[in-house]
Amino acid sequence: MPVLLPTSRSHRRAQGADAAVETLTDHAVVIAGGGPTGLMLAAELALADVDVAVVERRADQTIVETRAGGLHARSIEILDQRGVADRFLREGKIVQLAGFAWTRLDISDLPTRHPYGLAMRQNHIERILADWATELAVPFYRNREVTGLAQDETGVEVTLSGVERLRARYLVGCDGGRSAVRKISGIEFPGSDPTLSNLMAEVEMSETPQLGLRHDALGFHGLSKTENGRVLAVLTEATLARTGEPTLSDLSEALVTVYGTDFGVENPVWISRFTDAARLAASYRKGRVLLAGDAAHIHHPVGGQGLNLGVQDAVNLGWKLAQVVKGRSPDSLLDSYHAERHPVAARVLNNTMAQIALLRRGDDSLKAARDVVSELLAMEEPRQRFGAMMSGLDIAYDLGEGHKLLGRRMPDLDLTVDGRQQNLFTLLHGARGILLNFDKHDEIDAAPWRDRIDVVNASYGGPWELPVIGRVAAPGAVLVRPDGHVAWVGDESPHGLEEALTRWFGPAAA
């Protein structure tokens, strides 16, 4: 991808001692990090016509190593809400991706248009997201990193590696587990230190490897063929003593320890090391600085939830930040980002640590625990519950008491609108809120918010069904936020609608 030159309404060279420093201003939002989370957030803000720019250390989206390996069902739904899911479905492989501690969880019977996962490497995911962001005219500051920041009452001054400074109203750190934005802004990152270390590598082997998964006294290991014919190796190391960049010698030693041979390992394309350290930012926000993705939470990749968690962070934050930047909602709306997403990440860290505990090779009691959990997950209700959890389909934000839909993802209903069949998710393509009116057409008045939401009169005759909780009573009207979560449910009257509209979309227009 070509480097996009940054554009700005103010582009000047400072005078005096700082003559070598260029000052670029007037971005409403600067995103540090152009991985999946940063790209998704950039697209969300661009859809809302917010002036957003991405700072990325790489010259393009190239990733040499294999990172995340797929999209879970809720992430596919989110992409479908924006009308871009087909771009990913065309290139990925539909599979039953959800699992818990190596026990596969078939979610094909869950009520969603996408009851599956998508096997797809992160490099492909990033490429498609970056192409979408480019179509939306998002500028990139490439070959640069955030090295400093300073907040004041009106914005953040961001210092980049090199000679540039940016001025933004808000800065979002999407710059990974070692986030410079998090560290510089002083946000604490509490959690647990690593208890195991894994190597992952893409290599060639002169001897025939023993493909498949293995579980032994050290931990879990696996060898598999990649799409280009090389071998993807995942190994638990015998010690935590080694840190830093791993070498071919480290990989060879780990292979010999597990398999008794290194299979003639050679020509590594890449080698990486990761641990089971689990950390969660104490706050997702400090003034005008926010965190999303791995900058806010890290954990072992078992279960494949990390990338998906970050993409979902971005979609929760994007429309709220757009509302604030445009002056439609007060700055306090951003506090709901932490309130909603922090518990979701805490739950992911918890289930990840539980999986690692079960996967350790211990005494007979631990093996018995694994067998019991595996048997439990073969039962219908536990399988569905854990499948919904691992795929993100059961996420429910605490929006108070009320209808079972409140705070949950809105199902993608087959609606009839103006006599035509239309999937509900198509109404969310523009990243705007929707007030869906199913019967009380004359009693609903949302005219003062028409610049922020769409009011749609629709009909739907099928059952309303959600993962885990099953069928729910059909409401008369529903307010759906741009992230696809239900903000208000109306039955007998529009009571509470004005309050919900004000809470999520700001005061009524004059």
Side-chain angles (χ1 to χ4, degrees):
M1 174 181 294
V3 175
L4 300 181
L5 295 178
T7 57
S8 172
R9 289 184 292 277
S10 176
H11 185 179
R12 64 185 183 276
R13 188 173 294 278
Q15 303 299 316
D18 294 327
V21 176
E22 287 189 15
T23 302
L24 308 175
T25 62
D26 286 349
H27 288 304
V29 179
V30 168
I31 298 170
T37 302
L39 293 169
M40 189 74 206
L41 179 59
E44 288 288 291
L45 290 166
L47 283 171
D49 294 323
V50 170
D51 175 17
V52 57
V54 177
V55 176
E56 169 55 38
R57 62 181 175 79
R58 293 170 292 171
D60 54 37
Q61 293 303 133
T62 300
I63 302 176
V64 176
E65 70 272 23
T66 296
R67 295 184 185 175
L71 295 169
H72 283 300
R74 180 54 187 156
S75 296
I76 301 171
E77 283 192 340
I78 284 172
L79 296 167
D80 206 357
Q81 289 174 184
R82 298 298 180 256
V84 296
D86 285 349
R87 304 185 187 196
F88 297 84
L89 293 170
R90 280 196 297 267
E91 295 194 29
K93 181 181 179 182
I94 290 175
V95 294
Q96 286 301 319
L97 193 65
F100 187 86
W102 283 9
T103 297
R104 285 292 180 194
L105 300 168
D106 187 339
I107 65 168
S108 60
D109 59 348
L110 294 187
T112 170
R113 203 175 296 278
H114 302 286
Y116 47 73
L118 191 68
M120 192 178 205
R121 291 298 177 190
Q122 183 171 329
N123 57 331
H124 298 302
I125 294 170
E126 282 198 21
R127 171 177 49 79
I128 298 171
L129 286 173
D131 287 346
W132 183 32
T134 301
E135 291 171 17
L136 295 170
V138 174
F140 287 72
Y141 294 84
R142 293 198 175 275
N143 296 307
R144 297 159 174 90
E145 297 180 70
V146 172
T147 58
L149 64 92
Q151 296 193 57
D152 56 37
E153 292 183 357
T154 61
V156 187
E157 186 168 290
V158 185
T159 304
L160 307 186
S161 53
V163 297
E164 289 153 320
R165 293 179 186 172
L166 306 178
R167 176 94 183 157
R169 291 179 60 185
Y170 291 91
L171 169 66
V172 186
C174 301
D175 49 343
R178 298 182 179 89
S179 172
V181 171
R182 186 189 66 240
K183 293 174 182 176
I184 297 169
S185 59
I187 296 175
E188 295 182 4
F189 203 39
S192 59
D193 292 331
T195 64
L196 62 82
S197 177
N198 294 107
L199 291 176
M200 180 181 282
E202 186 175 341
V203 295
E204 294 178 0
M205 291 180 170
S206 59
E207 302 170 16
T208 303
Q210 297 175 21
L211 301 180
L213 300 174
R214 177 175 292 207
H215 203 186
D216 62 19
L218 286 180
F220 41 92
H221 323 277
L223 300 177
S224 61
K225 283 295 183 75
T226 66
E227 56 193 21
N228 54 27
R230 297 189 183 95
V231 176
L232 179 65
V234 182
L235 301 157
T236 301
E237 294 188 274
T239 176
L240 282 170
R242 294 189 177 90
T243 58
E245 293 298 320
T247 65
L248 182 60
S249 177
D250 292 336
L251 182 63
S252 174
E253 182 179 330
L255 284 164
V256 170
T257 300
V258 175
Y259 295 96
T261 175
D262 67 1
F263 302 108
V265 64
E266 59 188 0
N267 300 327
V269 178
W270 54 267
I271 308 173
S272 65
R273 175 178 278 123
F274 59 90
T275 73
D276 65 335
R279 298 189 176 278
L280 179 58
S283 174
Y284 281 18
R285 180 188 183 197
K286 188 171 185 180
R288 292 179 173 270
V289 176
L290 300 110
L291 302 177
D294 289 352
H297 39 71
I298 61 169
H299 54 86
H300 193 280
V302 64
Q305 299 169 93
L307 182 151
N308 294 271
L309 189 60
V311 167
Q312 292 160 30
D313 285 346
V315 175
N316 183 284
L317 174 61
W319 66 276
K320 296 174 181 176
L321 194 50
Q323 286 280 128
V324 172
V325 164
K326 290 188 168 188
R328 291 171 174 169
S329 293
D331 178 86
S332 58
L333 177 63
L334 296 177
D335 294 334
S336 70
Y337 168 59
H338 171 93
E340 292 177 358
R341 294 303 299 173
H342 192 272
V344 174
R347 189 184 187 204
V348 169
L349 263 65
N350 191 59
N351 78 50
T352 300
M353 289 188 287
Q355 291 180 77
I356 292 299
L358 286 169
L359 288 172
R360 291 185 183 281
R361 176 67 78 179
D363 56 21
D364 289 344
S365 62
L366 186 54
K367 181 181 183 302
R370 282 196 300 272
D371 291 343
V372 167
V373 170
S374 182
E375 183 178 352
L376 179 70
L377 294 178
M379 300 176 186
E380 183 172 353
E381 185 174 348
R383 171 186 60 79
Q384 291 181 342
R385 283 184 173 272
F386 274 67
M389 176 181 71
M390 298 303 293
S391 61
L393 292 171
D394 73 340
I395 292 171
Y397 300 135
D398 183 5
L399 304 188
E401 297 295 323
H403 195 282
K404 288 184 178 180
L405 276 169
L406 192 63
R408 294 184 180 272
R409 50 173 278 288
M410 182 70 181
D412 187 19
L413 307 177
D414 295 316
L415 303 174
T416 300
V417 180
D418 296 329
R420 296 182 295 108
Q421 294 296 308
Q422 189 169 2
N423 296 346
L424 187 145
F425 282 1
T426 63
L427 302 175
L428 290 166
H429 285 184
R432 286 166 57 88
I434 313 166
L435 178 58
L436 275 169
N437 223 337
F438 291 101
D439 51 24
K440 305 290 184 180
H441 295 178
D442 296 331
E443 298 180 21
I444 299 289
D445 180 18
W449 288 271
R450 285 291 187 112
D451 59 334
R452 282 154 274 180
I453 69 168
D454 297 320
V455 179
V456 178
N457 295 328
S459 61
Y460 175 71
W464 289 67
E465 191 170 4
L466 297 177
V468 177
I469 63 175
R471 292 196 176 189
V472 299
V478 179
L479 179 63
V480 183
R481 307 189 319 190
D483 60 358
H485 283 258
V486 175
W488 171 84
V489 181
D491 289 316
E492 298 301 322
S493 74
H495 176 73
L497 175 59
E498 184 175 337
E499 180 183 353
L501 286 166
T502 303
R503 177 182 181 183
W504 298 113
F505 298 99

